Amino acid sequence: MTLPTLLVLDADPLPRLGRLTGRARIEHADESTLARRLPYADVLLVWDFTSHAVRRAWPGEGPRPRWVHTASAGVDHLMCPELAASDTVVTNARGVFDEPIAEYVAALVLAMAKDLPRTLELQGARTWQHRESQRLAGTRACVVGAGPIGRAIVRTLKALGVTCALVGRVPRTGIHGPDDLDRLIARADWVIAAAPLTEQTHGMFDARRFGMMQPSARFINVGRGQLVVEEALVQALSRRWIAGAALDVFEREPLGPDSPLWGLPGLIVSPHMSGDTVGWRDELAVQFVDLFGRWEAGRTLPNVVDKQRGYVPGR
């Protein structure tokens, strides 16, 4: 029996795929060899989910992988017209990052409400300065992105007493549509971006939307950096249109040392780590091996991305 060829777009550390021994012929590629190896692969595992190499290397006509899995929630780094038009199935790591990102958002909300960055700053200066902090219960959040991550954020914030409105691509029970977004962010204390990157969401948080927010509002982005017009956020914080912000994702990563974002008042910067808890890589590998078992058995795969929309359709 001929074993299927599994091609891995590498990143360190490599995934633990020992359970696939004898079930697949595992080969490895980097950005320089991906294009040459793709036509001979049955399955592509995009382990390096920060790379855009798949976009550049994806073959148009001729042989190509039947299935592509990315070890990430977002798929914007690999989608290209040729892949979208093909019959190749694309899946993502939906389900692995939901609760960790929700916990991270809750930590950011608590940190800003309780002024923890200032507390640490004063501690470093050995300065005793009594202050008052904000009560979280009773505040309002608008969470943009109604996928599993957005829904997990809502559950976690509700447990802290925050009233939450969830906004998705289309309105349905318990979820607002895009037409409600401006109204909701205008009254929110917390505006949280957790949406996928699509043509509709690119640059959705611009000067107009930051100008709608309350002066006391805080903005958090754990979705994709390109959801935000960063120049507009710099303006909003510098002119104190909003009280603060926290970014875990950026237009360009890693964030360069000369970026004005580093020194903005009221901004918390973290290096795209909101979903990365201890053992997360092993969870991603276990998920892929389980999906591979379904694929080799001819069973329907979960987490199938709608390649035209750019995400897994909600339930």
Side-chain angles (χ1 to χ4, degrees):
M1 180 182 69
T2 302
L3 296 178
T5 298
L6 166 61
L7 182 63
V8 182
L9 179 58
D10 287 342
D12 289 327
L14 295 176
R16 297 182 181 181
L17 301 175
R19 287 169 54 194
L20 297 183
T21 301
R23 297 165 57 188
R25 184 175 61 194
I26 301 175
E27 299 182 354
H28 297 270
D30 58 21
E31 294 192 359
S32 66
T33 61
L34 183 64
R36 185 172 73 251
R37 293 179 177 272
L38 267 176
Y40 305 99
D42 298 293
V43 179
L44 172 65
L45 169 58
V46 185
W47 190 247
D48 184 358
F49 51 80
T50 66
S51 171
H52 291 81
V54 175
R55 282 184 182 176
R56 298 188 293 270
W58 190 260
E61 300 297 326
R64 53 183 175 262
R66 291 176 281 160
W67 169 36
V68 173
H69 177 78
T70 179
S72 61
V75 299
D76 50 277
H77 59 290
L78 59 87
M79 293 305 299
C80 60
E82 294 80 9
L83 175 54
S86 73
D87 57 0
T88 297
V89 174
V90 176
T91 57
N92 71 354
R94 180 181 174 121
V96 172
F97 299 109
D98 308 352
E99 296 302 332
I101 292 178
E103 292 171 359
Y104 199 86
V105 168
L108 290 171
V109 167
L110 283 165
M112 288 189 278
K114 302 307 177 184
D115 200 21
L116 293 184
R118 180 63 174 158
T119 295
L120 294 174
E121 180 183 336
L122 291 169
Q123 179 182 342
R126 297 174 179 259
T127 299
W128 181 278
Q129 185 182 104
H130 181 268
R131 289 145 17 250
E132 295 178 344
S133 64
Q134 180 182 3
R135 186 172 181 177
L136 195 57
T139 60
R140 294 173 173 171
C142 174
V143 179
V144 183
I149 293 173
R151 296 198 300 269
I153 291 170
V154 166
R155 289 194 302 271
T156 304
L157 292 183
K158 280 185 174 180
L160 296 172
V162 180
T163 300
C164 296
L166 185 60
V167 179
R169 187 181 66 89
V170 294
R172 51 194 187 274
T173 304
I175 298 175
H176 296 268
D179 290 346
D180 292 335
L181 179 58
D182 290 353
R183 173 179 62 84
L184 291 170
I185 65 174
R187 59 190 299 210
D189 301 289
W190 313 96
V191 178
I192 301 161
L197 180 61
T198 66
E199 290 184 6
Q200 292 71 36
T201 62
H202 191 284
M204 67 186 303
F205 291 101
D206 54 10
R208 184 182 72 85
R209 287 218 160 100
F210 286 124
M212 288 180 175
M213 297 179 192
Q214 301 182 82
S216 59
R218 274 87 164 212
F219 173 76
I220 296 172
N221 187 12
V222 290
R224 282 291 179 267
Q226 293 84 356
L227 301 179
V228 178
V229 178
E230 289 183 355
E231 290 182 4
L233 179 60
V234 170
Q235 183 182 51
L237 287 170
S238 299
R239 298 183 179 181
R240 303 191 184 281
W241 294 354
I242 60 176
L247 300 179
D248 186 56
V249 288
F250 302 87
E251 288 183 3
R252 295 183 181 178
E253 298 181 7
L255 188 65
D258 297 330
S259 171
L261 295 172
W262 288 111
L264 271 181
L267 178 63
I268 297 173
V269 170
S270 59
H272 204 148
M273 58 179 281
S274 61
D276 301 347
T277 53
V278 175
W280 65 282
R281 291 183 179 87
D282 288 340
E283 288 185 50
L284 288 171
V286 167
Q287 181 190 54
F288 174 73
V289 171
D290 290 345
L291 289 174
F292 188 92
R294 287 175 173 265
W295 178 81
E296 68 181 344
R299 298 167 58 193
T300 301
L301 289 172
N303 294 10
V304 174
V305 173
D306 182 321
K307 294 185 290 183
Q308 303 305 317
R309 297 182 185 179
Y311 55 87
V312 179
R315 293 184 290 274

